Amino acid sequence: MLRVGLTGGLASGKTFVGRALVDLGADRGCLLIKADELGRQVQEPGGEAYDDIVREFGQEILDANGSINRRHLAAVAFHDPERLRKLNALVHPRVRDLRHKLEDEFARAHPHGIAVTEAAILIETGSYREFDRLVVAVCPPELQVERAMARDHLTREEVLDRMRQQMPLDEKVKFADYVIDTSGAKEATLAQTRAVYESLRSLNL
């Protein structure tokens, strides 16, 4: 099985590229693991990181029903690099464990398949080293801001706060085996993604 990391920055088009890769590989085995969804899972009440996060950040990050208010938590963590480091240290190891479990299950069923993990900070955490190939989705920073504001209903300052905690895209591409520019029409992004998929498939016949 081929392990592929898919990264970029906030609202750089990773999710669109990930879905396209899965569609292209539907007949031959292609799994998409979304690290952000696993991150939500481990932070849910009863999740692997829930108790530790509440202990570290306090009851004030909880909604009335006892769930972690992720927007509130982000507002606290992204303004303080040390608190963000602590949050990542609580969440990322649990996410990595779940990812490995999903990859192992997929590999047993699809030994020649492609498992794609979509995550924003694969390079920043050093996790990119765990993958056979790395794909980076890029677009201009201002387009990232516009997309994130529209998609996540964030203020411009909230978006910029989050982007400041990530490596700039022009630095991330230095680690990439493949770069997909998502700033143009969807058809152009799909054409680039198709070429990347065919190259990945040729590595894993």
Side-chain angles (χ1 to χ4, degrees), residues 42-200:
V42 302
Q43 293 179 59
E44 291 173 354
E48 292 86 344
Y50 176 87
D51 289 340
D52 288 339
I53 292 173
V54 175
R55 190 176 301 112
E56 175 65 34
F57 290 90
Q59 297 286 325
E60 60 269 23
I61 66 168
L62 300 180
D63 288 331
N65 63 3
S67 296
I68 291 173
N69 184 319
R70 295 185 77 219
R71 185 168 182 174
H72 188 180
L73 178 59
V76 173
F78 281 92
H79 281 290
D80 185 335
E82 179 59 22
R83 301 210 82 185
L84 180 60
R85 186 195 65 76
K86 289 180 178 178
L87 177 61
N88 288 340
L90 296 174
V91 172
H92 291 164
R94 274 71 174 231
V95 169
R96 187 177 295 111
D97 289 344
L98 289 177
R99 171 172 65 81
H100 288 164
K101 180 180 179 181
L102 291 171
E103 287 176 337
D104 291 344
E105 291 172 352
F106 180 72
R108 286 192 291 271
H110 302 277
H112 297 288
I114 299 174
V116 180
T117 295
E118 175 198 330
I121 55 174
L122 285 180
I123 297 171
E124 291 90 329
T125 62
S127 300
Y128 74 96
R129 299 185 184 92
E130 300 177 17
F131 298 94
D132 301 303
R133 292 293 186 274
L134 184 67
V135 181
V136 177
V138 302
C139 69
E142 188 55 40
L143 184 53
Q144 287 182 263
V145 174
E146 292 173 6
R147 287 173 173 174
M149 289 176 66
R151 181 191 68 191
D152 300 329
H153 308 293
L154 299 172
T155 67
R156 183 178 184 85
E157 191 55 39
E158 284 176 320
V159 174
L160 292 174
D161 273 347
R162 297 185 184 197
M163 289 176 62
R164 291 186 191 105
Q165 303 302 324
Q166 297 179 358
M167 182 185 294
L169 289 175
D170 57 359
E171 290 295 316
K172 290 192 177 188
V173 299
K174 297 175 183 179
F175 295 82
D177 297 293
Y178 305 97
V179 177
I180 296 178
D181 183 349
T182 70
S183 60
K186 289 183 178 180
E187 292 75 13
T189 301
L190 288 172
Q192 295 173 72
T193 305
R194 187 175 298 107
V196 168
Y197 173 78
E198 293 301 333
S199 177
L200 293 171

